[in-house]
Amino acid sequence: MSDAVPPGPPAGEAYDWYRRGSALLESGDAAAAAELLGWAAREEPQAASVRESLARALFDARRYDDAAREFEALVDLAPDDDYAQFGLGLALWRLRRFRRAADHLAMAAVMRPDRPEYAAALRQVRATLAAREEAGLAPDGQPGEGLS
């Protein structure tokens, strides 16, 4: 049995955590950024900028399930946020939920036709869906399918 006490919040307040977390994300330390930004999001759940930074950090840390949940929360907060739609589409793509990914990537591409990365991601997901259909596979991937 462990006597370890779960750590409390870091020093400072939500805005401090957001600033430090954002700096960590920009410097490439996504895992550490996600920890700080998670505290900020718990303190300020309606702050879209905090949720976006947390979602980006989770995605960059390859925590795609968590990133999808955060991007979905951001879409709920701001349905007209093209980046939230794009991020949710990318996270769902990594989770092999290709149909839903295509829906969100299409929304982002329609909202911002000037963003070539949105259209490129949508084309790739649609190509995956077409290839899966041609191969007789279910539209969405199964866990472990095609992985070595």
Side-chain angles (χ1 to χ4, degrees):
M1 188 162 153
S2 173
D3 291 332
V5 175
E13 297 179 1
Y15 183 69
D16 301 316
W17 304 332
Y18 169 70
R19 287 183 39 144
R20 291 192 330 245
S22 295
L24 286 166
L25 180 59
E26 294 307 314
S27 72
D29 194 346
E35 291 304 313
L36 273 175
L37 293 166
W39 283 102
R42 284 188 288 281
E43 190 73 22
E44 299 288 340
Q46 299 302 311
S49 58
V50 172
R51 301 299 291 246
E52 180 181 309
S53 293
L54 175 56
R56 286 180 49 220
L58 291 166
F59 186 90
D60 289 355
R62 298 183 177 171
R63 293 173 50 188
Y64 301 123
D65 277 319
D66 294 331
R69 276 191 292 278
E70 282 303 316
F71 276 120
E72 196 153 38
L74 188 56
V75 166
D76 290 344
L77 282 173
D80 60 342
D81 183 335
D82 63 284
Y83 185 79
Q85 297 283 349
F86 177 65
L88 179 53
L90 290 182
L92 292 168
W93 183 9
R94 297 305 187 280
L95 294 168
R96 305 176 62 84
R97 297 179 196 150
F98 303 117
R99 288 181 294 193
R100 284 196 60 219
D103 291 343
H104 289 284
L105 291 170
M107 182 68 73
V110 166
M111 294 167 102
R112 290 291 304 272
D114 59 316
R115 301 288 303 260
E117 64 274 24
Y118 292 6
L122 177 59
R123 279 192 306 275
Q124 289 179 333
V125 168
R126 285 182 172 164
T128 298
L129 283 166
R132 292 183 70 79
E133 182 178 348
E134 186 176 311
L137 297 171
D140 289 325
Q142 301 302 313
E145 177 187 272
L147 302 176
S148 52

